[in-house]
Amino acid sequence: MTAPLHEARPSGSGRALPDTQQGMRRRNLARVMHAVSAEGSLSRAAVASRIGLTRAAVSTLVDELIRWGLLEELGPERPGRVGRPGSALAVSGRGPAGIGAEIGVDHLAVCAVDLRGTVRARAVRRGGNRDRAPEAVAAELGQLARRVVAEAQREELWPAGLAVAVPGLVARDGRTVVRAPNLDWHDTDIGALLPGEWPLTVDNEANYGALAELWLGEDTPHDFLHVSAEIGIGAAVVVDGGLLRGTRGFAGELGHIPVRPDGPPCPCGGRGCLEQYAGEEAVLRAAGLEPREDRVGLLAGRAEDGDERVRAALRDAGAALGIALTGAVNLLDPETVVLGGALASLSPWLLPSLEAELTGRTAGPACPVAVSRLGPEGPLLGAAHSVVRSVLDDPAVVTERS
Amino acid sequence: MTAPLHEARPSGSGRALPDTQQGMRRRNLARVMHAVSAEGSLSRAAVASRIGLTRAAVSTLVDELIRWGLLEELGPERPGRVGRPGSALAVSGRGPAGIGAEIGVDHLAVCAVDLRGTVRARAVRRGGNRDRAPEAVAAELGQLARRVVAEAQREELWPAGLAVAVPGLVARDGRTVVRAPNLDWHDTDIGALLPGEWPLTVDNEANYGALAELWLGEDTPHDFLHVSAEIGIGAAVVVDGGLLRGTRGFAGELGHIPVRPDGPPCPCGGRGCLEQYAGEEAVLRAAGLEPREDRVGLLAGRAEDGDERVRAALRDAGAALGIALTGAVNLLDPETVVLGGALASLSPWLLPSLEAELTGRTAGPACPVAVSRLGPEGPLLGAAHSVVRSVLDDPAVVTERS
């Protein structure tokens, strides 16, 4: 996978395949896969009516997809329906799997997701990665990935690709971490250090978190701003069902929007950036707490217990988020803002002041703010599903890979 | 033209035509038009090699386009070239024309642009439209448009559509002005008041200004943020050669990004919005000048003459722009920022402080800022060219319209 396949186009419309007979056939294979995948199971006739092709054309495509092991027949549909009973089709639970991985500041994780979207294997290692050499982190992640792949292979799955979420800015080459301040990585070609046996993509964790929300969230619209936090504050902009990446791949740096232009200096070179008010370390400092491993749990616990200083710190963080989001909403006009990651767990104390700023500063109805149900799992799931989607979006790739 | 055809896809790749033989043919017709249009004149063989189709296939498409009056043959190419002399093709200077119109706060304008991109007729009426009834403004614009169309018809052109730029937020229906504070229009269905004899699209002036920059600017990249000002401050976001419109069509409201969250109240409901520091009226106030008709000319003239109070006011406006743009650049990661409209004329006094903020607040190299050469003509030209583009993007529409 040399380029992400989910970029700036609605999922299901297929990647930019050439406008030839061959390209048309590949796009139609994708339409069949997406139609079956969306419904769980579907007859050939139902696929045909859904994608607007003849039943004969669909049968040819389906036979190919069955031969490749991407679809399977569930046997004849139950009687009682009108017409000749058709055999129901389902996406295969064997064959290609997406391997997702996450390099967190305090953990590593890997999982395998089959074409049906089910997590079939996973492994996690807790422990800080701050200031560790990229070589050591990549080697350990490689071991975890091989363990997960071996487990998946025992269930007749094979890795269609490895997608790795990192807490930093990733270049458009999909492998170089340009800047990950909380790991102290700079211009690190992590792609060269990770296992080379599978197609590899590296991307920012906020991007994968947003894609997870898009694909797995309930009623998530196709235009939204996804805001998450680990140590820093990250965001991802989804437009028309695709990520807005920016020229260098750096779009979504909400954490460095100036909230108070004369505020405290920020390591980015600016002053009064959002991260200086709503980043985890700023909030801990304002709350008078020492940083420790489970920072979010600490803040949530204290706020739950009614600690007024912690609540005030979260209230101020919410207000700063609201000011920065007012700017972002004015610029992007998203359908909704989704709070994910650590912000989801802290939302009860952040939301009131956040929404007060957003509403008070907006002409007309303010942009609604939703809280993600995926929480900290988002980036890992988004990474694995991005590989699964790349297979659904162009099923013919399996003939080149398996 | 029921939907803008230039949206969120690189120009020349064709609109979202159905993935059928018929759709493929229409896309290939578009490829031929764009290839010839880009070069001025081109032989059939050169078109074929450029778009990757056989010469026979291209000849069939070209014959069709000649029959429709969209291409014309210039006669045999000059001898001395290798091979059989081919007849050079050019885009026709007759046939469909794009009619662009602009409703400004202080003027109305209409122009006709042929498929070659040449302005063939135009009309302007100076005089304020503030607080005038939309009916009166639309009637007067209709008269101007009919005059321009009559002039174009005398040169064998016919209107392929009318595109109208307005200084306000336009709903995604492409006809309703939701909010134009400087005209005091609210939820105005201007589409119902304008001439109905041609396909009609209404859009925000900043959007058309950005498209003009994209299509007519020199070396304009495909990802940029276009900032302009008339009374308010508007912006448009171009991603991958298409406009980012937002859910409701309101994206690009840079003027209401909070620059100083506790600053002066803004009619939008917020406080300390960019417009309170860098809008024309705010700058005039800071400079101690009375508003009059040619506000930008007044400011530029005084600054040119060395008026220190005016220069300080522009310096402060530039700094506020720099703070707001820092946020926008962090969020969007554009390749460049382009200052257009009134900001272009004032750029000598705005740029130093603007760039100082942008550079000082950015980790790594700051986003470059360019000044538009189209100036206040941008929106009108962008509107007319959007109609021309709609014909190049799907030439077969002329068979439905002419």
Side-chain angles (χ1 to χ4, degrees):
Chain A
M1 183 166 38
T2 52
L5 301 180
H6 41 68
E7 217 173 318
R9 71 177 58 88
S11 177
S13 71
R15 64 196 278 203
L17 291 164
D19 210 353
T20 56
Q21 293 287 347
Q22 183 59 13
M24 223 160 98
R25 189 179 142 273
R26 288 176 82 150
R27 280 193 294 275
N28 284 331
L29 287 164
R31 289 205 182 95
V32 173
M33 284 303 289
H34 275 287
V36 178
S37 168
E39 295 299 322
S41 85
L42 217 54
S43 71
R44 280 170 168 80
V47 171
S49 88
R50 208 148 302 211
I51 67 178
L53 290 178
T54 65
R55 206 168 143 173
V58 165
S59 265
T60 313
L61 297 167
V62 163
D63 291 343
E64 187 96 282
L65 293 166
I66 290 175
R67 198 159 50 245
W68 293 342
L70 303 182
L71 288 183
E72 56 189 40
E73 292 192 277
L74 299 177
E77 285 190 325
R78 66 182 192 287
R81 297 232 177 145
V82 176
R84 191 165 69 86
S87 176
L89 300 163
V91 170
S92 176
R94 290 165 298 174
I99 312 300
E102 187 179 15
I103 299 175
V105 177
D106 296 323
H107 78 291
L108 297 175
V110 179
C111 75
V113 170
D114 66 21
L115 289 188
R116 293 175 176 171
T118 308
V119 177
R120 300 286 291 275
R122 59 179 293 153
V124 178
R125 191 197 57 74
R126 298 263 151 223
N129 296 312
R130 249 184 220 255
D131 308 326
R132 275 180 88 195
E135 288 76 7
V137 173
E140 196 164 27
L141 191 74
Q143 283 169 13
L144 281 189
R146 288 196 184 92
R147 200 201 300 166
V148 165
V149 166
E151 198 181 326
Q153 280 168 336
R154 282 195 292 275
E155 306 199 31
E156 295 181 66
L157 292 162
W158 57 267
L162 170 63
V164 183
V166 296
L169 297 177
V170 178
R172 289 201 75 137
D173 65 2
R175 49 183 292 152
T176 306
V177 179
V178 176
R179 214 163 46 234
N182 295 308
L183 294 172
D184 201 23
W185 292 4
H186 303 275
D187 296 314
T188 303
D189 181 0
I190 191 77
L193 305 174
L194 287 164
E197 53 262 56
W198 315 300
L200 174 73
T201 313
V202 179
D203 203 350
N204 177 270
E205 56 88 22
N207 283 348
Y208 281 132
L211 291 173
E213 204 60 40
L214 177 71
W215 295 328
L216 309 175
E218 239 171 287
D219 301 322
T220 309
H222 273 206
D223 292 87
F224 64 100
L225 178 64
H226 185 263
V227 188
S228 59
E230 201 193 11
I231 305 269
I233 289 178
V237 182
V238 174
V239 177
D240 231 1
L243 282 174
L244 187 153
R245 292 190 171 275
T247 302
R248 297 165 300 174
F250 297 178
E253 278 283 89
L254 190 81
H256 299 287
I257 285 190
V259 167
R260 297 185 184 275
D262 308 315
C266 180
C268 80
R271 299 191 76 91
C273 299
L274 174 61
E275 224 160 86
Q276 294 304 311
Y277 302 95
E280 278 179 16
E281 292 183 347
V283 176
L284 286 171
R285 211 180 312 120
L289 297 173
E290 283 298 308
R292 56 166 213 196
E293 202 159 287
D294 180 16
R295 297 171 298 274
V296 176
L298 174 65
L299 288 168
R302 293 287 180 100
E304 188 82 62
D305 293 345
D307 183 324
E308 203 28 65
R309 193 162 168 201
V310 168
R311 288 188 174 192
L314 289 171
R315 207 155 45 227
D316 291 349
L321 273 162
I323 293 167
L325 285 173
T326 299
V329 165
N330 267 301
L331 208 54
L332 299 168
D333 185 24
E335 193 168 334
T336 177
V337 171
V338 180
L339 300 186
L343 298 178
S345 338
L346 298 172
S347 62
W349 304 282
L350 295 168
L351 266 184
S353 53
L354 189 164
E355 288 182 328
E357 292 289 342
L358 203 53
T359 309
R361 292 177 183 276
T362 311
C367 181
V369 181
V371 176
S372 166
R373 293 186 204 172
L374 300 173
E377 286 291 276
L380 182 66
L381 290 174
H385 277 264
S386 74
V387 178
V388 168
R389 288 265 154 174
S390 74
V391 176
L392 298 180
D393 285 348
D394 186 15
V397 293
V398 300
T399 61
E400 298 152 17
R401 287 191 203 157
S402 57
Chain B
M1 182 166 38
T2 53
L5 300 180
H6 40 67
E7 217 173 318
R9 71 178 59 86
S11 176
S13 71
R15 63 197 277 202
L17 291 164
D19 210 355
T20 57
Q21 293 287 347
Q22 183 57 13
M24 223 159 95
R25 187 178 143 273
R26 289 177 81 150
R27 280 192 295 274
N28 284 331
L29 287 164
R31 287 204 183 96
V32 173
M33 284 301 291
H34 275 287
V36 178
S37 168
E39 295 299 323
S41 86
L42 217 54
S43 71
R44 281 170 166 81
V47 171
S49 89
R50 207 148 303 210
I51 67 178
L53 289 178
T54 65
R55 205 169 144 172
V58 165
S59 265
T60 313
L61 297 166
V62 163
D63 290 344
E64 187 96 282
L65 292 167
I66 290 175
R67 197 159 51 243
W68 292 343
L70 302 181
L71 288 183
E72 55 188 42
E73 292 193 276
L74 299 178
E77 286 189 323
R78 66 182 193 287
R81 297 229 177 148
V82 175
R84 190 165 70 84
S87 176
L89 301 163
V91 170
S92 175
R94 290 165 299 175
I99 313 300
E102 187 179 14
I103 299 175
V105 177
D106 297 322
H107 78 292
L108 297 175
V110 180
C111 74
V113 169
D114 66 21
L115 288 187
R116 292 175 177 170
T118 308
V119 177
R120 300 285 291 277
R122 60 180 292 154
V124 178
R125 192 198 56 75
R126 299 266 150 220
N129 297 312
R130 251 185 219 254
D131 308 326
R132 275 180 88 195
E135 289 76 8
V137 174
E140 196 164 28
L141 191 74
Q143 283 169 11
L144 281 190
R146 288 196 184 93
R147 199 201 301 166
V148 164
V149 166
E151 198 181 325
Q153 280 168 335
R154 282 194 291 275
E155 306 199 28
E156 294 181 68
L157 293 163
W158 57 266
L162 170 63
V164 183
V166 295
L169 297 177
V170 178
R172 289 201 74 138
D173 65 2
R175 48 183 291 152
T176 307
V177 178
V178 177
R179 212 160 51 232
N182 295 308
L183 295 173
D184 200 23
W185 292 4
H186 303 275
D187 296 314
T188 303
D189 181 359
I190 190 77
L193 305 175
L194 286 165
E197 53 261 57
W198 314 300
L200 174 74
T201 313
V202 179
D203 203 349
N204 178 270
E205 55 88 23
N207 283 347
Y208 281 132
L211 290 173
E213 205 60 41
L214 177 71
W215 294 329
L216 309 175
E218 238 171 288
D219 301 321
T220 309
H222 273 207
D223 292 87
F224 65 100
L225 177 63
H226 186 262
V227 188
S228 59
E230 201 192 12
I231 304 271
I233 289 178
V237 182
V238 174
V239 177
D240 232 0
L243 282 175
L244 187 153
R245 293 190 171 273
T247 302
R248 297 165 300 174
F250 298 178
E253 277 284 90
L254 191 81
H256 299 287
I257 285 191
V259 167
R260 298 186 185 275
D262 307 315
C266 180
C268 81
R271 299 191 76 89
C273 299
L274 174 61
E275 225 160 86
Q276 295 304 311
Y277 302 95
E280 278 179 16
E281 292 184 348
V283 176
L284 286 170
R285 212 180 311 119
L289 299 173
E290 283 299 310
R292 55 166 215 198
E293 202 159 288
D294 180 16
R295 299 170 297 274
V296 175
L298 173 66
L299 287 168
R302 294 287 180 99
E304 188 81 63
D305 293 344
D307 182 324
E308 201 31 63
R309 194 162 168 201
V310 169
R311 288 189 174 191
L314 289 170
R315 207 155 44 226
D316 291 349
L321 273 162
I323 293 167
L325 284 173
T326 299
V329 165
N330 267 300
L331 208 54
L332 300 168
D333 185 24
E335 193 168 332
T336 177
V337 171
V338 180
L339 300 187
L343 298 178
S345 339
L346 298 171
S347 62
W349 304 281
L350 294 168
L351 266 183
S353 54
L354 188 164
E355 288 182 327
E357 291 289 342
L358 202 53
T359 309
R361 293 178 183 277
T362 311
C367 182
V369 181
V371 177
S372 167
R373 294 186 201 172
L374 300 173
E377 285 291 276
L380 181 67
L381 291 174
H385 277 265
S386 74
V387 178
V388 168
R389 288 264 155 174
S390 74
V391 176
L392 298 180
D393 286 346
D394 186 15
V397 292
V398 299
T399 61
E400 298 153 19
R401 286 191 206 158
S402 56

